[in-house]
């Protein structure tokens, strides 16, 4: 094969994968569902509720922001400086396939230790406001498990990429792109049974009228649900939540025990209807397929940035820095798509229950209990908001009610 073909191939592949990614996102994202009125927190939240949310975020955000900045800056500073290579050399481990895991786990541990004080200060704020209920021992254990799981994932990626680049110096990126896509698919499928149990215990919802109602709601929605699982979230938080994860045989509908305990039956029903919307639209599978294209595109970018140098294990820190850079830069697009998907699930919940009044009250109650941000700054909204804000979700319920002849008056009069 000619040198010209070898040079052009990754550029062509990158353009094609990027085009496919853009087409899938543009054509499958529900950009518009219903005309919304301008969100206005003052319509539905009292001045005391708004003030409490603002005080909470004023106390929390400095520490959480510093933690996030450090989690990005530390790997970038190490990876994009000579320090990364020197750290590999300091290890003096002759076998690269032993040195790389040690370096990856070590760099992750360094970042975790550096961010630990500010994370602890943020955790204390959530305790002061009654949002966190977990012991400090459990808090530390969660961070240790998270570091371990992240290390395992990054070690697998680094070893795979370096091994392929050593074996196929020029064309390593082609099998690596396929392997990356398959890895994303596999992790998404296995996540509910391999990762989630490391943090929570799950039990089937006890037989009774509420469980029967949920199963009937699923049948009416045409969504095959074998069981509703309850997570023991109360050992960590007072927040109310539910979610769907996995796809195919690993798909599960999970509700927090706090939700069942503290929300009204009508509110829980609406939350479950929202999660059924995710299942009905196969949102997890849809997100996974976008992720597979994103992983393949990321591998091609690595080829364009590093070329055959990918096979040098002394560049492991650079690889980690590039991964952090890519995930950070991709966050605004991921969050934009996620907000639209969540809005569609809200729309599905309203369509399934036809209960805009309880929907608005439910969004208000969840926001107050979870101390959700009502009007985040623009940069926080783009970088971190995977869901619409509570006023935006309430505006959705109010627009639905108006459109279907069941207007919802403001909660604050």
């Amino acid at each position: 094969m000619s040198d010209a073909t070898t040079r052009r191939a990754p550029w062509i592949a990158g353009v094609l994968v990027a085009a496919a990614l853009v087409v899938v996102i543009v054509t499958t994202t529900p950009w518009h569902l219903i005309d919304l009125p301008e969100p206005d927190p003052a319509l539905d939240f009292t001045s005391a509720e708004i003030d409490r949310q603002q005080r909470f975020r004023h106390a929390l955000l400095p520490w959480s922001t510093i933690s996030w900045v450090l989690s990005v800056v530390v790997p970038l500073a190490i990876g994009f400086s000579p320090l990364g290579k020197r750290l590999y050399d300091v290890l003096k481990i002759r076998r690269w396939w032993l040195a790389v895991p040690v370096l990856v786990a070590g760099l992750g541990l360094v970042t975790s230790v550096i961010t630990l004080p500010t994370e602890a200060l943020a955790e204390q704020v959530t305790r002061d406001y009654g949002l966190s209920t977990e012991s400090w021992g459990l808090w530390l254990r969660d961070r240790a498990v998270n570091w371990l799981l992240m290390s395992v994932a990054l070690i697998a990626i680094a070893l795979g990429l370096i091994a392929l680049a050593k074996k196929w110096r020029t064309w390593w990126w082609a099998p690596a792109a396929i392997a990356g896509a398959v890895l994303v698919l596999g992790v998404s499928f296995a996540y509910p049974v391999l990762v989630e149990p490391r943090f929570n215990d799950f039990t089937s919802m006890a037989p009774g009228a509420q469980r029967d109602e949920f199963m009937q709601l699923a049948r009416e929605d045409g969504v095959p649900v074998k069981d509703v699982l309850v997570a023991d979230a109360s050992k960590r938080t007072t927040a109310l939540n539910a979610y769907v994860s996995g796809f195919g045989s690993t798909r599960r509908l999970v509700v927090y025990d706090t939700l069942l305990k503290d929300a009204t039956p009508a509110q829980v029903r609406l939350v479950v209807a929202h999660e059924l919307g995710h299942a009905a639209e196969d949102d997890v599978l849809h997100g996974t397929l976008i992720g597979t294209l994103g992983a393949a595109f990321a591998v091609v970018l690595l080829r364009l940035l590093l070329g055959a140098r990918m096979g040098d294990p002394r560049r492991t820190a650079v690889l980690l820095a590039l991964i952090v850079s890519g995930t950070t830069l991709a966050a605004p697009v991921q969050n934009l798509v996620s907000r639209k998907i969540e809005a569609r699930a809200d729309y599905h919940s309203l369509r399934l229950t036809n209960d805009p009044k309880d929907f608005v009250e439910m969004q208000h109650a969840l926001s107050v209990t979870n101390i959700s941000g009502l009007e985040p700054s623009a940069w926080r909204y783009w970088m971190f908001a995977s869901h619409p804000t509570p006023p935006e979700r309430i505006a959705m319920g109010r627009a639905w009610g108006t459109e279907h002849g069941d207007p919802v008056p403001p909660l604050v009069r």
Side-chain angles (χ1 to χ4, degrees):
M1 191 171 294
S2 68
D3 291 341
T5 300
T6 300
R7 289 194 300 268
R8 287 196 298 265
W11 288 98
I12 295 172
V15 170
L16 291 176
V17 175
L21 186 59
V22 170
V23 168
V24 169
I25 290 175
V26 169
T27 59
T28 63
T29 301
W31 298 108
H32 182 267
L33 297 165
I34 190 173
D35 292 331
L36 300 180
E38 187 68 25
D40 184 359
L43 291 176
D44 303 288
F45 295 88
T46 66
S47 57
E49 291 169 342
I50 294 174
D51 180 65
R52 178 171 180 263
Q53 178 270 152
Q54 290 175 340
R55 285 186 287 106
F56 171 70
R57 301 188 78 76
H58 180 75
L60 175 71
L61 291 182
W63 305 122
S64 62
T65 301
I66 293 173
S67 290
W68 174 74
V69 170
L70 289 173
S71 71
V72 174
V73 170
V74 170
L76 296 188
I78 295 174
F80 292 142
S81 72
L83 181 59
K85 287 184 179 180
R86 286 203 291 266
L87 288 175
Y88 182 90
D89 294 335
V90 166
L91 293 175
K92 296 185 182 303
I93 300 176
R94 295 180 58 187
R95 307 290 186 181
W96 72 267
W97 42 268
L98 293 177
V100 168
V102 172
L103 183 60
V104 171
L107 291 178
L109 184 60
V110 167
T111 304
S112 297
V113 170
I114 289 175
T115 59
L116 193 64
T118 48
E119 288 185 356
L121 290 168
E123 169 67 13
Q124 185 59 55
V125 173
T126 64
R127 291 166 183 265
D128 293 342
Y129 278 80
L131 196 58
S132 175
T133 60
E134 65 181 331
S135 67
W136 283 109
L138 181 58
W139 183 82
L140 287 170
R141 179 258 182 201
D142 283 349
R143 271 134 196 85
V145 171
N146 187 65
W147 163 76
L148 179 61
L149 293 172
M150 187 62 67
S151 295
V152 169
L154 290 174
I155 287 169
I157 292 170
L159 288 177
L161 289 172
I162 294 171
L164 288 171
K166 281 181 171 294
K167 185 173 180 61
W168 293 292
R169 184 175 175 81
T170 302
W171 286 90
W172 62 266
W173 58 273
I178 296 172
V182 172
L183 179 64
V184 170
L185 190 66
V187 169
S188 182
F189 178 79
Y191 190 88
V193 294
L194 292 183
V195 177
E196 289 177 7
R198 307 287 80 79
F199 296 95
N200 288 103
D201 293 327
F202 300 89
T203 58
S204 296
M205 180 180 285
Q210 193 171 42
R211 183 184 185 280
D212 293 343
E213 181 182 20
F214 294 163
M215 300 303 286
Q216 177 61 32
L217 196 65
R219 285 192 292 271
E220 292 174 358
D221 201 26
V223 178
V225 174
K226 296 180 180 179
D227 198 4
V228 179
L229 300 181
V230 180
D232 59 340
S234 57
K235 66 184 180 184
R236 288 185 175 85
T237 183
T238 59
L240 313 181
N241 201 6
Y243 65 88
V244 168
S245 62
F247 56 88
S249 61
T250 64
R251 184 168 65 191
R252 50 169 55 183
L253 171 60
V254 179
V255 296
Y256 279 17
D257 56 355
T258 52
L259 181 70
L260 297 177
K261 176 179 177 292
D262 297 328
T264 67
Q267 291 171 350
V268 177
R269 184 172 184 267
L270 280 156
V271 172
V272 170
H274 171 98
E275 301 306 330
L276 289 175
H278 286 309
E281 297 289 345
D282 280 323
D283 286 338
V284 174
L285 181 58
H286 172 256
T288 300
L289 294 177
I290 291 178
T292 61
L293 289 172
F297 180 64
V299 170
V300 177
L301 281 181
L302 286 175
R303 164 61 181 83
L304 296 175
L305 292 171
L306 295 179
R309 293 173 296 172
M310 185 69 254
D312 180 2
R314 297 176 73 241
R315 295 185 178 274
T316 298
V318 176
L319 171 63
L320 297 181
L322 288 171
I323 291 174
V324 171
S325 300
T327 54
T328 303
L329 292 173
V333 175
Q334 291 175 326
N335 286 326
L336 172 62
V337 174
S338 177
R339 287 193 298 270
K340 297 300 181 180
I341 296 296
E342 294 296 335
R344 181 172 63 188
D346 282 343
Y347 190 82
H348 184 96
S349 176
L350 287 160
R351 183 175 58 80
L352 187 60
T353 62
N354 195 26
D355 190 359
K357 181 177 182 297
D358 278 322
F359 178 89
V360 168
E361 293 178 353
M362 178 266 292
Q363 294 294 348
H364 170 268
L366 292 183
S367 176
V368 170
T369 301
N370 298 347
I371 324 182
S372 304
L374 302 181
E375 294 180 296
S377 62
W379 83 271
R380 289 187 181 282
Y381 185 74
W382 284 98
M383 286 302 302
F384 304 114
S386 60
H387 290 61
T389 64
E392 288 173 333
R393 303 179 87 167
I394 287 173
M396 166 80 78
R398 190 159 281 126
W400 170 274
T402 300
E403 188 174 276
H404 291 80
D406 190 9
V408 181
L411 300 182
V412 175
R413 300 181 183 180

